[in-house]
Short mmCIF file of all heavy atoms in Angstrom, two decimals:
data_model
loop_
_atom_site.label_atom_id
_atom_site.label_comp_id
_atom_site.label_asym_id
_atom_site.label_seq_id
_atom_site.Cartn_x
_atom_site.Cartn_y
_atom_site.Cartn_z
N PRO N 273 -37.21 1.15 40.63
CA PRO N 273 -36.73 2.30 41.43
C PRO N 273 -37.86 3.00 42.18
O PRO N 273 -38.98 3.07 41.67
CB PRO N 273 -36.12 3.24 40.39
CG PRO N 273 -36.57 2.76 39.06
CD PRO N 273 -36.93 1.32 39.20
N SER N 274 -37.56 3.49 43.37
CA SER N 274 -38.53 4.29 44.11
C SER N 274 -38.84 5.54 43.30
O SER N 274 -37.97 6.13 42.69
CB SER N 274 -37.92 4.69 45.45
OG SER N 274 -38.55 5.86 45.92
N LEU N 275 -40.12 5.92 43.26
CA LEU N 275 -40.50 7.10 42.48
C LEU N 275 -40.79 8.30 43.38
O LEU N 275 -41.24 9.33 42.91
CB LEU N 275 -41.73 6.79 41.62
CG LEU N 275 -41.60 5.65 40.60
CD1 LEU N 275 -42.89 5.48 39.80
CD2 LEU N 275 -40.44 5.90 39.65
N THR N 276 -40.50 8.17 44.68
CA THR N 276 -40.77 9.28 45.61
C THR N 276 -40.00 10.53 45.18
O THR N 276 -38.77 10.49 45.09
CB THR N 276 -40.35 8.89 47.03
OG1 THR N 276 -40.89 7.60 47.31
CG2 THR N 276 -40.86 9.90 48.03
N GLY N 277 -40.72 11.60 44.93
CA GLY N 277 -40.07 12.86 44.58
C GLY N 277 -39.36 12.83 43.25
O GLY N 277 -38.42 13.61 43.02
N ILE N 278 -39.80 11.95 42.34
CA ILE N 278 -39.08 11.81 41.07
C ILE N 278 -39.06 13.11 40.27
O ILE N 278 -38.13 13.37 39.51
CB ILE N 278 -39.64 10.63 40.24
CG1 ILE N 278 -38.79 10.44 38.99
CG2 ILE N 278 -41.11 10.82 39.89
CD1 ILE N 278 -39.02 9.17 38.26
N GLY N 279 -40.08 13.97 40.50
CA GLY N 279 -40.14 15.25 39.78
C GLY N 279 -38.98 16.17 40.09
O GLY N 279 -38.65 17.06 39.30
N SER N 280 -38.31 15.98 41.25
CA SER N 280 -37.16 16.86 41.52
C SER N 280 -35.83 16.16 41.27
O SER N 280 -34.78 16.69 41.64
CB SER N 280 -37.23 17.44 42.92
OG SER N 280 -37.89 16.61 43.82
N ARG N 281 -35.85 15.02 40.59
CA ARG N 281 -34.57 14.37 40.26
C ARG N 281 -33.91 15.06 39.07
O ARG N 281 -34.56 15.77 38.31
CB ARG N 281 -34.78 12.89 39.96
CG ARG N 281 -35.04 12.12 41.23
CD ARG N 281 -34.84 10.64 41.04
NE ARG N 281 -35.44 9.95 42.18
CZ ARG N 281 -36.07 8.79 42.10
NH1 ARG N 281 -36.15 8.17 40.94
NH2 ARG N 281 -36.59 8.26 43.17
N GLU N 282 -32.64 14.79 38.91
CA GLU N 282 -31.87 15.40 37.84
C GLU N 282 -32.26 14.87 36.47
O GLU N 282 -32.01 15.50 35.45
CB GLU N 282 -30.37 15.12 38.05
CG GLU N 282 -29.80 15.74 39.32
CD GLU N 282 -29.79 17.26 39.26
OE1 GLU N 282 -29.41 17.81 38.23
OE2 GLU N 282 -30.21 17.88 40.26
N ALA N 283 -32.82 13.65 36.44
CA ALA N 283 -33.12 13.03 35.15
C ALA N 283 -34.27 12.05 35.33
O ALA N 283 -34.59 11.67 36.45
CB ALA N 283 -31.89 12.29 34.63
N VAL N 284 -34.89 11.67 34.23
CA VAL N 284 -35.86 10.58 34.25
C VAL N 284 -35.14 9.35 33.72
O VAL N 284 -34.44 9.43 32.71
CB VAL N 284 -37.09 10.91 33.38
CG1 VAL N 284 -38.00 9.69 33.25
CG2 VAL N 284 -37.86 12.07 33.98
N ALA N 285 -35.30 8.23 34.43
CA ALA N 285 -34.62 6.99 34.08
C ALA N 285 -33.11 7.19 33.96
O ALA N 285 -32.44 6.52 33.20
CB ALA N 285 -35.18 6.40 32.79
N SER N 286 -32.60 8.13 34.72
CA SER N 286 -31.18 8.45 34.88
C SER N 286 -30.54 9.07 33.65
O SER N 286 -29.43 9.59 33.74
CB SER N 286 -30.36 7.22 35.32
OG SER N 286 -30.21 6.31 34.26
N ILE N 287 -31.19 9.04 32.50
CA ILE N 287 -30.48 9.48 31.30
C ILE N 287 -31.18 10.62 30.57
O ILE N 287 -30.54 11.38 29.86
CB ILE N 287 -30.21 8.26 30.38
CG1 ILE N 287 -29.12 8.58 29.38
CG2 ILE N 287 -31.46 7.76 29.68
CD1 ILE N 287 -27.76 8.65 29.97
N LEU N 288 -32.50 10.78 30.74
CA LEU N 288 -33.21 11.89 30.09
C LEU N 288 -33.09 13.10 31.01
O LEU N 288 -33.90 13.29 31.92
CB LEU N 288 -34.68 11.54 29.86
CG LEU N 288 -34.94 10.31 28.97
CD1 LEU N 288 -36.41 9.92 29.00
CD2 LEU N 288 -34.50 10.58 27.55
N LEU N 289 -32.04 13.88 30.80
CA LEU N 289 -31.72 14.96 31.74
C LEU N 289 -32.82 16.00 31.83
O LEU N 289 -33.26 16.52 30.81
CB LEU N 289 -30.41 15.63 31.34
CG LEU N 289 -29.15 14.86 31.69
CD1 LEU N 289 -27.91 15.64 31.27
CD2 LEU N 289 -29.08 14.55 33.19
N ASN N 290 -33.25 16.32 33.03
CA ASN N 290 -34.32 17.30 33.21
C ASN N 290 -33.82 18.73 33.09
O ASN N 290 -34.62 19.65 32.97
CB ASN N 290 -34.97 17.11 34.58
CG ASN N 290 -35.72 15.79 34.64
OD1 ASN N 290 -36.15 15.28 33.62
ND2 ASN N 290 -35.86 15.24 35.83
N SER N 291 -32.49 18.91 33.16
CA SER N 291 -31.97 20.27 33.12
C SER N 291 -31.90 20.79 31.69
O SER N 291 -31.84 21.98 31.45
CB SER N 291 -30.58 20.30 33.74
OG SER N 291 -29.78 19.34 33.09
N GLU N 292 -31.87 19.86 30.73
CA GLU N 292 -31.72 20.30 29.35
C GLU N 292 -32.95 21.07 28.89
O GLU N 292 -34.07 20.62 29.06
CB GLU N 292 -31.44 19.11 28.43
CG GLU N 292 -29.96 19.03 28.15
CD GLU N 292 -29.46 17.62 27.90
OE1 GLU N 292 -30.15 16.86 27.21
OE2 GLU N 292 -28.37 17.32 28.41
N THR N 293 -32.75 22.24 28.33
CA THR N 293 -33.88 23.08 27.92
C THR N 293 -34.63 22.41 26.79
O THR N 293 -34.06 21.69 25.99
CB THR N 293 -33.42 24.47 27.47
OG1 THR N 293 -32.31 24.29 26.63
CG2 THR N 293 -33.10 25.34 28.65
N ASN N 294 -35.89 22.65 26.75
CA ASN N 294 -36.76 21.91 25.88
C ASN N 294 -37.86 22.87 25.42
O ASN N 294 -38.52 23.50 26.24
CB ASN N 294 -37.32 20.76 26.74
CG ASN N 294 -38.30 19.92 26.03
OD1 ASN N 294 -39.17 20.41 25.33
ND2 ASN N 294 -38.19 18.63 26.22
N ASP N 295 -38.05 23.00 24.10
CA ASP N 295 -39.01 24.00 23.59
C ASP N 295 -40.44 23.65 23.95
O ASP N 295 -41.30 24.51 24.04
CB ASP N 295 -38.97 24.12 22.05
CG ASP N 295 -37.62 23.80 21.50
OD1 ASP N 295 -36.64 24.23 22.14
OD2 ASP N 295 -37.53 23.11 20.47
N GLU N 296 -40.68 22.34 24.14
CA GLU N 296 -42.08 21.96 24.31
C GLU N 296 -42.64 22.24 25.70
O GLU N 296 -43.72 21.81 26.04
CB GLU N 296 -42.25 20.48 23.97
CG GLU N 296 -42.22 20.26 22.46
CD GLU N 296 -41.81 18.85 22.11
OE1 GLU N 296 -42.55 17.93 22.45
OE2 GLU N 296 -40.74 18.67 21.50
N GLY N 297 -41.85 22.92 26.51
CA GLY N 297 -42.38 23.25 27.84
C GLY N 297 -41.56 22.60 28.93
O GLY N 297 -40.34 22.58 28.85
N ASN N 298 -42.23 22.09 29.92
CA ASN N 298 -41.59 21.49 31.08
C ASN N 298 -40.80 20.23 30.70
O ASN N 298 -41.38 19.22 30.31
CB ASN N 298 -42.71 21.14 32.08
CG ASN N 298 -42.16 20.61 33.37
OD1 ASN N 298 -41.01 20.16 33.43
ND2 ASN N 298 -42.97 20.65 34.41
N PRO N 299 -39.46 20.28 30.78
CA PRO N 299 -38.68 19.12 30.34
C PRO N 299 -38.96 17.86 31.17
O PRO N 299 -38.87 16.75 30.65
CB PRO N 299 -37.23 19.56 30.50
CG PRO N 299 -37.26 20.76 31.37
CD PRO N 299 -38.61 21.38 31.23
N VAL N 300 -39.32 18.04 32.45
CA VAL N 300 -39.57 16.85 33.27
C VAL N 300 -40.79 16.11 32.73
O VAL N 300 -40.78 14.88 32.60
CB VAL N 300 -39.78 17.21 34.75
CG1 VAL N 300 -39.77 15.97 35.61
CG2 VAL N 300 -38.73 18.19 35.22
#
Side-chain angles (χ1 to χ4, degrees):
S274 155
L275 301 181
T276 312
I278 185 167
S280 29
R281 285 197 195 144
E282 296 293 316
V284 171
S286 73
I287 198 72
L288 300 171
L289 283 181
N290 293 334
S291 54
E292 260 150 42
T293 45
N294 177 317
D295 331 319
E296 284 156 64
N298 184 341
V300 191

